[in-house]
């Protein structure tokens, strides 16, 4: 028998290791988690009410955010339509405004506009 074969037979005959005892403290040589590593369990593992609150928050928050986006979209549409109407109004008023400003400039220059029905004056 070779030594390798004998080592394998010896290992097979030995007793299996004892089961893990979770109440026993870890061995001092085992690696310890550093302070920056996350906890082994989720924060809500001990408190199911926190998990329920998170779920309800997600269920309620998503429709509120979607509704908020809808309100902003409607407001932007109304604002844009108002700006279009403002531009159209300014365009429609541009012609009469030019005529009124020309008449006012002529009036202030000393030549009043002629009234209807009045005889023209000759110099």
């Amino acid at each position: 028998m070779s030594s390798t074969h004998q080592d394998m037979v010896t290992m097979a005959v030995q007793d299996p290791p004892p089961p893990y005892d979770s109440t026993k403290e870890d061995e001092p040589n085992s690696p310890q988690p550093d302070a920056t590593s996350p906890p082994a369990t989720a924060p809500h593992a001990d408190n199911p009410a926190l998990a329920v609150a998170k779920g309800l928050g997600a269920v309620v928050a998503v429709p509120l955010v979607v509704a908020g986006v809808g309100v902003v979209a409607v407001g932007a549409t109304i604002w844009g339509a108002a700006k279009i109407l403002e531009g159209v109004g300014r365009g429609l008023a541009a012609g009469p405004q030019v005529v009124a400003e020309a008449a006012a400039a002529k009036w202030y220059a000393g030549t009043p506009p002629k009234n209807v029905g009045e005889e023209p004056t000759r110099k």
Side-chain angles (χ1 to χ4, degrees):
M1 255 208 274
S2 69
S3 65
T4 310
H5 179 69
Q6 189 171 358
D7 291 340
M8 290 174 45
V9 170
T10 306
M11 288 173 53
V13 174
Q14 289 178 350
D15 293 333
Y20 178 73
D21 186 7
S22 62
T23 59
K24 192 196 273 186
E25 284 193 30
D26 288 335
E27 297 176 15
N29 293 339
S30 66
Q32 299 294 326
D34 44 325
T36 59
S37 63
T41 59
H44 57 80
D46 295 335
N47 189 356
L50 184 60
V52 170
K54 275 185 163 180
L56 285 176
V59 166
V60 171
V62 171
L64 289 177
V65 169
V66 170
V69 169
V71 168
V72 169
V74 168
T77 303
I78 291 172
W79 180 80
K83 291 306 260 181
I84 289 172
L85 289 176
E86 179 184 1
V88 169
R90 285 179 188 257
L92 291 174
Q97 183 177 4
V98 168
V99 170
E101 287 175 357
K106 193 174 185 182
W107 177 268
Y108 289 122
T111 318
K114 297 180 182 175
N115 291 331
V116 177
E118 186 177 299
E119 290 292 324
T121 58
R122 297 181 189 203
K123 289 187 182 182

